[in-house]
Amino acid sequence: MELIIKKTAADIAKDVARHFVHFVEQNPKANLGLATGSSPLDIYKHIIYLHEKRRVSFAQVKTFNLDEYLGLVDDKQSYRFFMQQNLFNHLDIPLENTHFPDATKPEGYDALIAHNGGVDIQLLGIGSNGHIAFNEPFTSFSSYTHIVNLDEKTRKDNARFFRDMNEVPTQAVTMGLATIMQAREIILVILGDAKILALKQLFCMEKDESFPASILNEHPNVKVYTTMDLFKKTFCHKA
Ligand code: F6R
């Protein structure tokens, strides 16, 4: 893993967005793996800005999102809605090129990704418990796309996107850890004080299913982005 430390979250967003847009310029038929949540929001804003400024077309790009909730009371809380609002509606990407796992046939998602030639760059955030996508602690490292019961910790972390805790779904469908590991390149963005322990465990812990993100140590091409502030809070102890 390569650790890239930037001064601010805005600097990370610009760097990662430039990387994605440059890749699309070079590879107009790129397959992009995308995430939802707070961490990618500014990245998506900057991708939209670069798409307009540099006239980079996403018309032939295909996207594969990590996960989707089950049993939502309001479709506006779906990850599909989030992606439409924060990225897809602002690009020239056709709706049919944007993919999400389907709870009625989870394993079909791995086949779909493989059929399209695999994910070129996968964007990830991380949960405070070390989850990537919705692979909660003790998910098998050899898991493919599957349905999960969400951790209470994850439900509480995500409650900020819902009107009240009762609306936070208890299940989701998610790419598995083996699915994620098949991406040719992975970019993990770690932001916010709630992730201090996760950042530390990622670099200091041995590979262990109790901390799902630890599998990333085995991938040949992972870039981990964090801010100087978070790096210092994580690794520089006062004497
Ligand atoms: C989102 C996802 C999750 C988030 C993680 C961090 O599609 O799969 O793993 O990346 O929960 O979320 P934020 O960025 O909101 O802290």
Side-chain angles (χ1 to χ4, degrees):
M1 287 192 299
E2 185 185 353
L3 177 61
I4 302 172
I5 304 168
K6 293 277 164 187
K7 198 163 176 213
T8 65
D11 295 332
I12 294 175
K14 282 185 192 158
D15 230 58
V16 175
R18 273 191 220 115
H19 184 67
F20 270 95
V21 173
H22 180 70
F23 189 85
V24 171
E25 269 175 329
Q26 305 294 314
N27 306 273
K29 294 186 175 177
N31 289 336
L32 306 180
L34 300 178
T36 58
S38 313
S39 310
L41 270 178
D42 286 343
I43 298 171
Y44 294 154
K45 280 193 191 124
H46 205 68
I47 288 178
I48 295 164
Y49 167 77
L50 292 175
H51 156 71
E52 287 164 6
K53 187 176 161 215
R54 295 194 348 208
R55 297 180 200 281
V56 182
S57 175
F58 282 65
Q60 299 181 83
V61 167
K62 290 189 180 140
T63 64
F64 298 89
N65 261 80
L66 287 169
D67 39 22
E68 182 57 282
Y69 285 123
L70 301 189
L72 284 166
V73 293
D74 182 349
D75 279 350
K76 291 204 169 89
Q77 289 156 339
S78 70
Y79 283 168
R80 157 63 75 184
F81 187 83
F82 176 101
M83 291 305 299
Q84 291 299 141
Q85 292 289 103
N86 292 299
L87 187 64
F88 301 151
N89 289 349
H90 310 279
L91 302 176
D92 59 343
I93 190 164
L95 185 67
E96 64 271 20
N97 285 11
T98 61
H99 304 284
F100 287 76
D102 177 353
T104 62
K105 44 176 175 17
E107 62 296 335
Y109 203 48
D110 291 277
L112 180 74
I113 294 170
H115 177 75
N116 280 284
V119 168
D120 294 306
I121 315 175
Q122 176 66 60
L123 181 61
L124 293 180
I126 189 169
S128 56
N129 62 1
H131 75 217
I132 48 176
F134 273 138
N135 294 288
E136 300 287 18
F138 302 103
T139 304
S140 164
F141 283 148
S142 46
S143 54
Y144 289 95
T145 305
H146 61 291
I147 292 175
V148 287
N149 295 324
L150 298 176
D151 254 24
E152 275 315 292
K153 177 92 186 73
T154 300
R155 291 186 68 239
K156 278 184 196 134
D157 286 351
N158 289 0
R160 66 190 190 280
F161 297 111
F162 295 83
R163 282 180 291 257
D164 71 72
M165 192 62 201
N166 295 331
E167 282 192 4
V168 186
T170 55
Q171 286 193 311
V173 56
T174 180
M175 277 189 200
L177 294 167
T179 317
I180 292 170
M181 287 293 281
Q182 284 175 347
R184 285 181 271 282
E185 179 180 356
I186 295 177
I187 295 183
L188 168 60
V189 176
I190 309 187
L191 297 174
D193 287 3
K195 309 290 171 67
I196 289 175
L197 187 59
L199 177 58
K200 185 165 192 174
Q201 284 178 306
L202 182 68
F203 284 96
C204 304
M205 223 178 117
E206 293 302 313
K207 183 184 156 206
D208 194 294
E209 285 182 352
S210 65
F211 189 75
S214 62
I215 183 95
L216 297 176
N217 283 287
E218 298 212 324
H219 193 284
N221 189 5
V222 180
K223 292 186 182 72
V224 180
Y225 279 85
T226 195
T227 58
M228 181 55 83
D229 179 55
L230 197 66
F231 174 82
K232 282 187 176 167
K233 284 181 183 163
T234 306
F235 294 108
C236 308
H237 300 285
K238 289 198 183 97

